[in-house]
Amino acid sequence: MEYNDLMILAKQKKILQKDLCQRLDITPAGFKRGIEKGTLPINKVVPLCQILGISPNELLGWEAAPGGNYAAHIGGSNTQNSTEAITALSAQLKEKDRQIDRLLKIVEKGKKQ
């Protein structure tokens, strides 16, 4: 999602840029630069998504959450639910990394034979 689109979304939710940046503990210039260059610190992504009610996928332009409502998609705006969802996704990613490592070892072993 581009910077201007985020600002339009924030405006629709009656959130001023200065308030958004204050809640994220980032300067307005740093926020704009991070969005425009794709370098927004990872620890700002989930809080930004929660504030604006979008998914990280939507923020990154990958896909929309079902119904376009991230808060409902992950079980409400409750931070604990969000943290649990992120923890579960992190565990899934770690398992996928282990599977990839095992497959790469099998491929390497096959190349040596």
Side-chain angles (χ1 to χ4, degrees):
M1 188 173 283
E2 294 185 19
Y3 175 78
N4 288 337
D5 296 330
L6 283 175
M7 291 298 91
I8 290 169
L9 182 60
K11 185 176 180 179
Q12 289 172 345
K13 295 184 179 287
K14 298 181 174 39
I15 301 171
L16 298 174
Q17 180 189 14
K18 67 176 187 151
D19 296 330
L20 179 63
C21 292
Q22 185 176 27
R23 289 172 69 178
L24 293 172
D25 193 28
I26 191 170
T27 66
F31 175 74
K32 183 175 182 181
R33 184 176 49 253
I35 295 298
E36 289 178 343
K37 293 187 177 197
T39 58
L40 187 68
I42 193 72
N43 65 334
K44 307 294 183 193
V45 171
V46 172
L48 173 61
C49 292
Q50 290 172 331
I51 293 166
L52 296 178
I54 60 174
S55 72
N57 286 346
E58 289 173 297
L59 178 66
L60 297 171
W62 293 343
E63 64 182 51
N69 184 342
Y70 178 61
H73 179 61
I74 62 168
S77 60
N78 183 314
T79 303
Q80 183 173 354
N81 288 344
S82 300
T83 302
E84 289 169 2
I86 292 167
T87 300
L89 288 172
S90 179
Q92 289 175 0
L93 286 173
K94 287 178 184 176
E95 177 56 30
K96 294 294 182 194
D97 283 341
R98 286 191 289 272
Q99 291 174 356
I100 290 169
D101 287 340
R102 285 193 299 270
L103 291 171
L104 287 173
K105 288 177 184 174
I106 291 169
V107 169
E108 285 300 315
K109 190 175 182 180
K111 285 182 180 179
K112 291 179 182 178
Q113 293 179 348

